[in-house]
Amino acid sequence: MAQSPHDAKPNANDIRDLFDRIAPVYDELNQSLSFGLHRIWKQMAVDWSGAQPGMNVLDVCCGSGDLALLLARQVGSQGQVTGADFAVAQLAIAAQRAADKGYSQRTQWVEADALSLPFKSDCYDALTMGYGLRNLTDIPQGLRELHRVLKPGAKAAVLDFHQPSSELAKRFQQWYLDTIVVPAAERCGLTEEYAYIGPSVDRFPSGHEQRHLAQAAGFSKAIHYPLAGGMMGVLVAQK
Ligand SMILES: C/C(=C\Cc1cc(O)c2ccccc2c1O)CCC[C@H](C)CCC[C@H](C)CCCC(C)C
Ligand SMILES: C[S@@+](CC[C@H](N)C(=O)[O-])C[C@H]1O[C@@H](n2cnc3c(N)ncnc32)[C@H](O)[C@@H]1O
């Protein structure tokens, strides 16, 4: 991506405020801008997390609840899902969506920092993190927290953007973000917020680097699965 003023790395407060601001249009823009494909990518992450009926599972950086609600369907009425995020406007939408789906009994929504999760160690049977890792100000610390809260042998499935290895795909991704995504956001008065995506993808570790970071955080196994021609990817790390 070309360098621009958007490229200064934001601090945690900036990121939290950004996601609070975009909360009212976040789901709608994701759906329209990905032609609904983001739901497929999110379901794949849930599947790779190993979540099963009756499990106690966690969705970190849950936002408006997309992955947490997929987890809630998967774990069923005997399971429990915790969604954690530090943007309260996002959590409010997640809680309302859970209520609309009749999932209030099996879900809880916790305002929390992914870098210091308020949960016991060795607690969760599986976890997901969708489009959150790239937004953390300390990725190694975020991975260490994921490792800490999982039970031994349990898996984390971490979905996010990814820089394609193919030059053509990389150019398409840049074109799409600059030409389709940002102008769409501009129509909602959110140009700056969505212009942040491109530079954040540039700064994000590759799948190969994510695997090494996961192993350094203590995970015994880590695999990265590219999706959408390498424009997205899922890191599956086992404790
Ligand atoms: C669910 C998706 C993105 C979530 C997301 C993540 C962030 O870090 C943000 C930061 C700031 C503002 C918004 C977000 C944000 O929404 C992925 C789907 C939505 C994307 C905006 C669309 C981008 C799609 C790919 C670059 C290209 C896909 C092309 C294909 C033909 C659909
Ligand atoms: C792009 S959204 C992803 C939301 C949801 N997982 C999804 O896939 O649609 C990123 C979310 O991560 C949250 N986030 C970023 N950094 C965080 C942190 N340090 N602690 C908790 N949440 C954080 C933001 O508030 C935002 O809701």
Side-chain angles (χ1 to χ4, degrees):
M1 305 284 175
Q3 297 298 310
S4 79
H6 310 304
D7 297 346
K9 189 172 181 182
N11 65 36
N13 288 336
D14 296 334
I15 290 166
R16 185 195 59 236
D17 294 348
L18 181 154
F19 285 103
D20 274 329
R21 284 197 302 274
I22 72 173
V25 299
Y26 175 77
D27 291 329
E28 181 187 346
L29 283 178
N30 283 342
Q31 183 66 13
S32 58
L33 291 167
S34 71
F35 305 98
L37 291 172
H38 73 116
R39 300 205 182 285
I40 295 172
W41 304 327
K42 290 171 179 177
Q43 183 61 58
M44 293 172 81
V46 167
D47 295 344
W48 272 319
S49 75
Q52 295 298 324
M55 281 190 172
N56 179 30
V57 301
L58 174 65
D59 182 29
V60 182
C61 297
C62 65
S64 58
D66 269 357
L67 283 105
L69 296 174
L70 290 174
L71 285 168
R73 182 175 67 184
Q74 177 63 11
V75 301
S77 59
Q78 300 309 305
Q80 271 296 310
V81 181
T82 299
D85 201 295
F86 65 6
V88 293
Q90 294 276 354
L91 284 173
I93 292 169
Q96 184 58 56
R97 293 173 73 196
D100 293 346
K101 285 179 173 290
Y103 286 165
S104 293
Q105 293 302 309
R106 68 180 80 169
T107 57
Q108 63 171 352
W109 307 98
V110 178
E111 182 185 354
D113 185 341
L115 301 183
S116 178
L117 291 169
F119 309 121
K120 292 178 183 173
S121 300
D122 307 313
C123 179
Y124 291 101
D125 299 303
L127 74 80
T128 55
M129 188 178 202
Y131 300 98
L133 189 66
R134 178 175 38 86
N135 292 301
L136 299 186
T137 55
D138 182 344
I139 289 174
Q141 176 56 21
L143 290 170
R144 283 191 291 271
E145 277 294 90
L146 302 187
H147 179 268
R148 180 182 66 80
V149 301
L150 280 173
K151 290 180 180 177
K155 293 177 184 175
V158 182
L159 164 65
D160 219 311
F161 282 96
H162 188 257
Q163 269 198 60
S165 50
S166 141
E167 194 54 38
L168 183 61
K170 195 178 289 187
R171 288 173 60 185
F172 174 78
Q173 184 184 57
Q174 175 177 335
W175 171 83
Y176 195 90
L177 287 170
D178 293 348
T179 314
I180 307 296
V181 172
V182 172
E186 188 177 5
R187 291 190 282 274
C188 302
L190 294 166
T191 310
E192 289 292 311
E193 289 79 356
Y194 279 75
Y196 155 81
I197 296 177
S200 73
V201 175
D202 283 349
R203 292 190 290 264
F204 194 44
S206 68
H208 178 75
E209 290 163 337
Q210 289 176 41
R211 285 179 51 229
H212 285 290
L213 287 169
Q215 286 159 351
F219 287 98
S220 61
K221 296 177 190 170
I223 302 170
H224 185 268
Y225 297 100
L227 302 176
M231 293 187 285
M232 303 289 163
V234 179
L235 172 73
V236 181
Q238 185 171 21
K239 184 169 182 175

